[in-house]
Amino acid sequence: MNKNRLEAFSDGVLAIIITIMVLEIKVPHGTDWQALAPLLPVFLSYVLSFIYIGIYWNNHHHMLHSASKVNGSILWANLHLLFWLSLIPFATGWMGENSFAPAATALYGGILLLCSIAYWVLEQTIIQKNGKDSILAKAIGQDLKGKLSPLLYLTGIALSFWSPWAANGVYVLVALMWLIPDRRIEKVYEEN
């Protein structure tokens, strides 16, 4: 199977996700700077989610670039990832509209957790199809960031009921860990 359709479809879905998120930011009715103040939580949640979608898009691109073969299992694993990513606009909107309320912040972290699990499933499915000696398998190695991220999301979810701001701090920390594009795949390409 050709992976170009998979990449193009995924890019389109991610672009739509970003578009939906920005359309959720409503224009204020006032004409002064104070009219923007109520939008600050909405804007902050949008920025964090935009960064997360960008991180997934970047790493997804690198991961698919390393795959030489795709099959039906990879297509379904990719749809599984896109499903959870498509829920980010809902969680972003709920969290922002409710000024980072505990339940909304916990749901946001839960969706981030499920996105990370779905990404791992896709990664493992690609490795299974392309082999243990594939570029992706070599690049992933011990995958410390990949193992640490779900634990941090669980921590953020638990913290959200005590301090939503601390929980969001954890979500920002995970984003910062992944903000710099994952160079492991590029390094393996350079070595070969």
Side-chain angles (χ1 to χ4, degrees):
M1 265 186 219
N2 188 322
K3 64 183 179 181
N4 293 341
R5 287 191 67 215
L6 176 65
E7 290 175 305
F9 178 75
S10 300
D11 287 349
V13 170
L14 293 172
I16 290 168
I17 289 169
I18 288 173
T19 302
I20 290 169
M21 285 191 316
V22 78
L23 291 175
E24 289 296 314
I25 301 175
K26 304 299 180 208
V27 176
H29 295 290
T31 58
D32 57 3
W33 292 108
Q34 284 81 17
L36 294 174
L39 292 178
L40 187 60
V42 174
F43 180 72
L44 291 175
S45 63
Y46 168 77
V47 169
L48 181 59
S49 295
F50 185 92
I51 290 169
Y52 265 108
I53 296 299
I55 289 166
Y56 274 103
W57 175 77
N58 196 315
N59 288 313
H60 185 268
H61 167 75
H62 282 87
M63 182 169 52
L64 289 181
H65 184 70
S66 72
S68 58
K69 303 176 229 171
V70 296
N71 62 10
S73 296
I74 293 171
L75 297 177
W76 281 109
N78 191 67
L79 281 172
H80 177 236
L81 172 62
L82 293 175
F83 171 79
W84 292 112
L85 289 171
S86 73
L87 292 175
I88 287 178
F90 170 76
T92 301
W94 193 35
M95 187 170 70
E97 287 290 330
N98 293 290
S99 300
F100 305 102
T105 302
L107 177 70
Y108 185 79
I111 290 173
L112 292 177
L113 173 64
L114 292 167
C115 288
S116 72
I117 292 168
Y119 186 87
W120 178 83
V121 168
L122 176 58
E123 182 180 79
Q124 296 306 306
T125 307
I126 291 172
I127 289 171
Q128 183 180 16
K129 175 65 179 168
N130 289 268
K132 296 290 183 194
D133 293 327
S134 66
I135 290 170
L136 183 60
K138 289 177 187 175
I140 296 307
Q142 296 298 316
D143 195 21
L144 181 61
K145 288 194 300 188
K147 292 176 182 170
L148 184 59
S149 297
L151 297 174
L152 289 172
Y153 290 137
L154 287 169
T155 302
I157 293 165
L159 278 174
S160 66
F161 296 102
W162 173 69
S163 171
W165 286 102
N168 278 295
V170 172
Y171 305 150
V172 168
L173 175 66
V174 177
L176 291 173
M177 284 178 14
W178 289 99
L179 191 58
I180 297 172
D182 197 342
R183 298 240 331 121
R184 294 178 292 181
I185 295 172
E186 292 174 4
K187 286 180 184 177
V188 172
Y189 270 118
E190 291 168 4
E191 292 169 2
N192 290 332

